[in-house]
């Protein structure tokens, strides 16, 4: 364990005191994220389509969620409904989860099939 002095910038986080300790390599490497795989289709790769699908809302309601600032793309808040997403993007919708877009393919009818991993 490494106890921080009171002049160190990480002495406190909020009102809580901080104590650091070194983790064993085996412990750190055994911490694996778990995901649920979801597949859905959207009309285009716009953030409002994605938000509507994962939150089970209409696109108009999804726009309200976007305009409130409850959606982030790659850890940056998004308010533009036409913002496009791509593979390997991380999308968070407050109250509905955090997702990694793994694959986007086009269907025969021209829609986009999205494979996303939802953080557990």
């Amino acid at each position: 364990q490494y106890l921080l002095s009171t002049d160190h910038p990480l002495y406190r986080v909020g009102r809580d005191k901080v104590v650091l300790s070194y983790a064993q390599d085996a412990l750190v490497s055994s911490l694996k994220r778990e995901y649920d795989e979801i597949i859905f289709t959207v009309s285009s790769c716009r953030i409002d389509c994605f938000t509507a699908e994962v939150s089970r809302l209409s696109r108009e309601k999804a726009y309200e969620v976007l305009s409130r600032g409850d959606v982030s793309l790659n850890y940056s808040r998004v308010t533009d409904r036409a913002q496009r997403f791509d593979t390997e993007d991380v999308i968070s919708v407050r109250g509905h989860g955090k997702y990694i877009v793994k694959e986007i393919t086009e269907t025969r009818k021209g829609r986009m099939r999205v494979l996303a991993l939802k953080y557990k």
Side-chain angles (χ1 to χ4, degrees):
Q1 269 186 338
Y2 178 66
L3 187 58
L4 299 174
S5 65
T6 55
D7 61 339
H8 194 279
L10 283 179
Y11 176 66
R12 290 184 174 273
V13 175
R15 295 182 202 159
D16 299 323
K17 290 183 180 179
V18 176
V19 177
L20 296 178
S21 61
Y22 291 98
Q24 297 173 2
D25 290 337
L27 176 65
V28 173
S29 64
S30 67
L31 298 174
K32 299 289 183 198
R33 280 258 185 217
E34 292 186 21
Y35 306 95
D36 287 330
E37 192 174 277
I38 59 171
I39 299 173
F40 53 90
T41 58
V42 290
S43 58
S44 66
C45 291
R46 290 170 37 141
I47 198 75
D48 61 340
C49 296
F50 186 96
T51 303
E53 188 61 37
V54 299
S55 59
R56 304 275 191 234
L57 297 171
S58 68
R59 281 183 52 182
E60 192 58 38
K61 295 282 186 188
Y63 175 65
E64 292 173 17
V65 172
L66 277 160
S67 61
R68 280 196 312 257
D70 289 347
V71 178
S72 65
L73 174 66
N74 296 324
Y75 306 102
S76 296
R77 199 173 272 172
V78 177
T79 55
D80 179 17
R81 71 186 333 171
Q83 176 71 45
R84 300 189 62 77
F85 65 89
D86 205 352
T87 57
E88 299 306 319
D89 283 346
V90 177
I91 302 172
S92 297
V93 181
R94 184 171 289 148
H96 297 282
K98 181 176 174 181
Y99 306 85
I100 301 174
V101 179
K102 291 310 278 181
E103 187 177 303
I104 301 170
T105 54
E106 191 170 346
T107 66
R108 286 181 283 159
K109 294 185 176 184
R111 293 175 53 87
M112 300 295 130
R113 179 176 288 118
V114 179
L115 166 64
L117 301 177
K118 181 179 182 183
Y119 285 73
K120 282 190 178 184

